[in-house]
Amino acid sequence: MRLSRYFLPVLKDNPAEAAIASHRLMLRAGMIRQSAAGIYSWLPLGFKVLRTLENIVHEEQQRAGHIPMLMPTLQTADLWRESGRYDDYGEEMLRIKDRHGRDLLYGPTNEELITDIFRNSVHSYKSLPLTLYHIQWKFRDERRPRFGVMRGREFFMKDGYNFNVDEAGALHAYNRHLVSYLRTYERMGLKAIPMQADTGPIGGEHSHEFLVLADTGESEVFYDSAVTDLSLGDRAVDFDSVEQCQGIFEEFTTPYARTDETHDEALFAKVPAERQRTARGIEVGQIFYFGTKYSESMKAKVSSPEGKEVPVHMGSHGIGVSRLIGALIEANHDDKGIIWPESVAPFKVGIVNLKQGGEATDPVCEMLYQGLQLCGLDPLYDDRDERAGTKFASMDLIGCPWRITVGPRGLKNGVVELTNRRTGESEEMSPEAALDCCTQIFSAV
RNA sequence: CGGGGCGUGGCGCAGCCUGGUAGCGCGGCGGUUUUGGGUACCGUAGGUCGUAGGUUCGAAUCCUAUCGCCCCGACCA
């Protein structure tokens, strides 16, 4: 993308309404604009990151064998009356009436809707197991939205639902989701720790939530520092393997890690003192196993192998996709701006032309721009007629992981400068070498 | 929902106490200048001071109501 043709309204000053880094930087970098409290427009740069994260989630879900679909944002109240949650959910549910006076709601989650779809079409254990998911906008009418997209009212979320004929199958689905979520966060360059959690309004028997450590996190967390050393890395995972998923589940959930809601001082005390950690965390996902809670109330039953009609065992799982952007920035920024992990950066490489219109610089920038595009690296070429400082400041703010600086001074010696946003380290090399360097760096991502 | 605060040009703010019809910085536009980290100077455009009532000869300023937004807490993906 040529910056001169893009829409990137960056702000030089900090907006008064933003208290934390991610909110401030998303506004300043021209990623979002607030429309109402907790409701945001996603400008091109923010939208690009949102789509990138959505794609990663889709890929990892499907890798785990889950089936994508799409349910509407608006739901009828009837289903929620059937499950009993229409009254239980309270003020956070946005209720709407249509022209006929029928009660609708802007969905805060989709257990009822998916269960209704399931029960109308699935009647035999032979159709199971099944895990369906979608990525859709949700709405929860928070009393006090804050922190930008971290605690918005409208938010973009992946939610999935597994259906199994028995508890054992559902528990495998639970473990599989945990593994799949670990992979998803790792791909985004995030360290998210699964912690034993409360089941809240979803209800159920087991739940883990995934927390990204950050000072601005909403939850207080207690953990054994051994969990932060764990990583899936590039190990091959067979998502159908009950043993392997169970093994990874145990590996990641055996060290003590809990939020304040489930914290147990006595258990925590057994962690070696030098490994005890207290910190704050941002919740970026949660998985539940709730057995037959909804299938009983909503009569989602199948014929078992024995010919008996049994309620299905279910679980649900969510990843806050829009919130993840806030979490990513909280975990990856400095005083100049955002520092995107390479896998989620909206633009992988920024090209800064220090002398726009220059006889030496323009052709080199064009060559790099075309070359990086051919390599699929989605470069951002700052071809504006601006001063060097302005261009550097913009690049730093929006967080391109790599920057190629092309100036007359360097070109006299035949070199451009390749700079890493995170470390600030620069290296001079020929334009061709810079191109090679970038393609090599990103071939590994 | 309890407590606190703020609404004045695109952004950040001053003016309000002690009423006299709006100002600064950044940004925009046009120039000159400069050219490796938000350059300097000149010129210029842009605001019915959140909204509605009231008091007054006169209201951004005082009073009342209302809407919106932010912060702390409780609550929550």
Side-chain angles (χ1 to χ4, degrees):
Chain A
M1 179 59 65
R2 290 173 198 273
L3 191 43
S4 64
R5 298 185 194 167
Y6 200 48
F7 180 62
L8 187 72
V10 300
L11 303 175
K12 201 166 171 177
D13 296 316
N14 282 323
E17 74 256 29
I20 65 168
S22 61
H23 189 194
R24 206 161 52 226
L25 290 171
M26 288 182 77
L27 288 166
R28 284 196 53 205
M31 294 177 69
I32 54 170
R33 285 293 181 267
Q34 180 164 309
S35 163
I39 301 176
Y40 294 87
S41 290
W42 292 78
L43 306 189
L45 190 73
F47 182 60
K48 205 161 189 296
V49 179
L50 191 67
R51 279 285 176 260
T52 302
L53 297 190
E54 183 185 8
N55 285 339
I56 291 176
V57 172
H58 267 302
E59 285 176 21
E60 292 303 324
Q61 283 302 300
Q62 288 168 58
R63 187 193 305 276
H66 308 155
I67 316 292
M69 61 179 295
L70 187 61
M71 288 177 270
T73 53
L74 294 178
Q75 304 180 23
T76 64
D78 295 347
L79 286 173
W80 287 71
R81 293 200 173 97
E82 198 177 334
S83 73
R85 285 209 294 180
Y86 192 66
D87 297 322
D88 292 351
Y89 218 96
E91 296 283 305
E92 290 197 347
M93 179 185 283
L94 180 65
R95 295 147 205 266
I96 303 166
K97 273 192 198 300
D98 70 10
R99 65 195 299 164
H100 304 293
R102 283 191 280 259
D103 292 319
L104 299 177
L105 56 99
Y106 197 123
T109 178
N110 290 64
E111 279 83 5
E112 283 78 0
L113 195 48
I114 194 76
T115 305
D116 182 54
I117 290 167
F118 176 87
R119 69 181 174 185
N120 288 331
S121 303
V122 177
H123 307 287
S124 163
Y125 76 95
K126 292 177 185 170
S127 306
L128 303 182
L130 181 65
T131 297
L132 299 167
Y133 79 93
H134 76 339
I135 304 179
Q136 177 62 293
W137 291 95
K138 310 280 193 296
F139 197 94
R140 289 181 196 171
D141 199 1
E142 297 283 345
R143 282 187 183 136
R144 191 190 151 203
R146 63 186 122 167
F147 301 150
V149 299
M150 296 256 283
R151 177 110 180 250
R153 291 194 290 173
E154 188 180 47
F155 57 99
F156 198 49
M157 176 177 174
K158 171 261 163 181
D159 50 318
Y161 306 87
N162 66 279
F163 302 90
N164 298 82
V165 71
D166 57 18
E167 179 171 356
L171 287 177
H172 173 239
Y174 187 87
N175 295 338
R176 187 182 65 232
H177 277 88
L178 185 130
V179 176
S180 157
Y181 277 25
L182 287 171
R183 263 196 70 105
T184 304
Y185 298 125
E186 280 190 22
R187 261 190 77 180
M188 295 172 181
L190 270 183
K191 170 78 71 185
I193 304 168
M195 301 197 180
Q196 191 167 319
D198 252 0
T199 53
I202 309 279
E205 299 164 33
H206 303 288
S207 183
H208 280 85
E209 50 190 16
F210 293 76
L211 280 292
V212 172
L213 299 178
D215 293 340
T216 45
E218 295 176 273
S219 318
E220 188 168 23
V221 299
F222 305 83
Y223 63 95
D224 178 342
S225 67
V227 294
T228 52
D229 298 330
L230 296 171
S231 157
L232 274 181
D234 50 10
R235 75 177 89 168
V237 177
D238 174 3
F239 286 100
D240 288 329
S241 165
V242 172
E243 295 71 27
Q244 194 186 10
C245 289
Q246 173 79 25
I248 295 172
F249 172 85
E250 283 167 8
E251 177 185 348
F252 279 80
T253 59
T254 301
Y256 188 90
R258 296 193 183 190
T259 66
D260 47 5
E261 292 169 330
T262 54
H263 182 52
D264 182 327
E265 278 294 344
L267 279 177
F268 189 51
K270 292 181 184 167
V271 176
E274 71 277 10
R275 299 214 312 255
Q276 291 179 10
R277 298 283 187 281
T278 303
R280 301 200 68 82
I282 301 165
E283 192 193 323
V284 293
Q286 188 162 8
I287 56 177
F288 301 88
Y289 165 65
F290 45 70
T292 58
K293 176 179 158 94
Y294 295 91
S295 54
E296 294 269 15
S297 63
M298 296 185 66
K299 300 183 178 60
K301 300 184 177 184
V302 297
S303 301
S304 73
E306 294 79 31
K308 283 190 290 188
E309 193 169 63
V310 295
V312 290
H313 286 252
M314 295 174 58
S316 70
H317 339 86
I319 293 180
V321 179
S322 48
R323 163 180 276 203
L324 265 172
I325 298 183
L328 275 160
I329 296 173
E330 288 300 325
N332 298 283
H333 71 272
D334 61 16
D335 56 348
K336 293 182 198 158
I338 303 167
I339 307 173
W340 294 112
E342 283 160 0
S343 59
V344 299
F347 295 102
K348 308 304 182 196
V349 183
I351 303 166
V352 170
N353 187 343
L354 290 180
K355 188 175 173 64
Q356 201 65 44
E359 283 179 22
T361 53
D362 281 13
V364 170
C365 287
E366 285 297 332
M367 183 281 282
L368 288 167
Y369 181 56
Q370 305 291 345
L372 288 166
Q373 278 185 313
L374 283 172
C375 300
L377 284 186
D378 210 355
L380 180 66
Y381 173 21
D382 191 344
D383 61 342
R384 295 174 301 172
D385 187 18
E386 292 286 351
R387 292 177 54 87
T390 303
K391 294 190 175 192
F392 288 143
S394 292
M395 279 299 173
D396 289 344
L397 177 60
I398 68 171
C400 287
W402 294 90
R403 185 185 78 209
I404 304 176
T405 309
V406 181
R409 189 189 295 172
L411 286 183
K412 274 183 193 158
N413 303 315
V415 298
V416 298
E417 195 177 71
L418 180 64
T419 307
N420 180 283
R421 172 69 178 86
R422 193 175 292 273
T423 65
E425 285 167 8
S426 281
E427 203 180 331
E428 291 193 333
M429 58 186 77
S430 72
E432 292 76 15
L435 192 53
D436 284 348
C437 228
C438 290
T439 53
Q440 272 172 31
I441 289 161
F442 282 96
S443 66
V445 175

